[in-house]
Amino acid sequence: MISIRRLSLVSDQSQREISDRPVGALRIAIATEDMKGLNAHFGSAKRFAIYDVTAHKSQFMEAIEFGDASDESGRHRTEGDGRIRSRVSALKGCQLLFCLAIGGPSAAKVISAKIHPIKAQQAVSMRQVLSSVQTMLQTAPPPWLRKMLADAGAAKKRADFEDED
């Protein structure tokens, strides 16, 4: 059995209000070992930090912790497709996934869940990841990000060559 723990911030607002995403916010997941930086591979990450990010603000939403994380020996405690499927399911609702590495079959599952995986070249702080997303949102986002923003209600969908099949 795969254990998943969620830690969410709670304030005086109702849970429904807390879970409501600001208009145009992207929900991003960051693979992390220590909740300080992007420093883990998708399949062996002990945790994922979930943030809502807009062009001018980022807010921590929750941490997801997996009981089947690797012990760094190269072997996973839980082998097989179920381990990856549980990770993808736990990230449902996220639009971007930042990690150091992700295998082809795992990336296919993430993409089919409408989550765009982004591999980082090296470990970086959470602040750097959030800042780079905000910079992309403030400047000229790439076409795939513009589509996500339109789906999130932050931008109007345009009929142009990027939308053609």
Side-chain angles (χ1 to χ4, degrees), residues 90-104:
L91 297 177
K92 193 162 186 84
C94 292
Q95 290 142 324
L96 301 178
L97 163 66
F98 290 87
C99 55
L100 288 180
I102 185 168

Side-chain angles (χ1 to χ4, degrees), residues 88-164:
V88 172
S89 178
L91 297 177
K92 193 162 186 84
C94 292
Q95 290 142 324
L96 301 178
L97 163 66
F98 290 87
C99 55
L100 288 180
I102 185 168
S106 296
K109 286 177 179 61
V110 167
I111 291 167
S112 71
K114 300 196 183 307
I115 304 169
H116 185 86
I118 299 172
K119 293 192 297 186
Q121 298 292 325
Q122 60 189 7
V124 295
S125 72
M126 295 280 186
R127 175 70 9 228
Q128 288 174 293
V129 174
L130 298 172
S131 178
S132 69
V133 171
Q134 288 176 319
T135 298
M136 278 195 297
L137 293 173
Q138 292 169 7
T139 57
W144 59 266
L145 186 54
R146 285 198 310 264
K147 183 177 182 331
M148 287 183 174
L149 290 168
D151 292 345
K156 293 181 182 179
K157 288 189 178 183
R158 296 182 349 197
D160 58 14
F161 70 92
E162 288 126 5
D163 294 332
E164 294 177 3

Side-chain angles (χ1 to χ4, degrees), residues 12-156:
D12 293 337
Q13 298 174 319
S14 73
Q15 186 61 36
R16 184 178 182 285
E17 291 171 336
I18 292 169
S19 64
D20 287 344
R21 189 179 311 179
V23 174
L26 290 176
R27 182 146 297 169
I28 69 167
I30 303 171
T32 183
E33 296 297 320
D34 56 9
M35 294 300 293
K36 295 179 182 177
L38 186 173
N39 54 18
H41 294 213
F42 173 74
S44 63
K46 293 179 182 172
R47 296 170 197 88
F48 288 91
I50 310 298
Y51 287 86
D52 279 349
V53 182
T54 64
H56 302 288
K57 183 180 173 187
S58 62
Q59 180 179 358
F60 174 79
M61 297 307 293
E62 69 179 333
I64 303 171
E65 183 175 287
F66 296 92
D68 67 338
S70 167
D71 61 3
E72 304 299 324
S73 68
R75 297 190 59 205
H76 300 288
R77 291 186 189 150
T78 308
E79 297 296 332
D81 196 41
R83 181 176 58 82
I84 298 302
R85 194 177 1 239
S86 67
R87 288 170 179 272
V88 172
S89 178
L91 297 177
K92 193 162 186 84
C94 292
Q95 290 142 324
L96 301 178
L97 163 66
F98 290 87
C99 55
L100 288 180
I102 185 168
S106 296
K109 286 177 179 61
V110 167
I111 291 167
S112 71
K114 300 196 183 307
I115 304 169
H116 185 86
I118 299 172
K119 293 192 297 186
Q121 298 292 325
Q122 60 189 7
V124 295
S125 72
M126 295 280 186
R127 175 70 9 228
Q128 288 174 293
V129 174
L130 298 172
S131 178
S132 69
V133 171
Q134 288 176 319
T135 298
M136 278 195 297
L137 293 173
Q138 292 169 7
T139 57
W144 59 266
L145 186 54
R146 285 198 310 264
K147 183 177 182 331
M148 287 183 174
L149 290 168
D151 292 345
K156 293 181 182 179

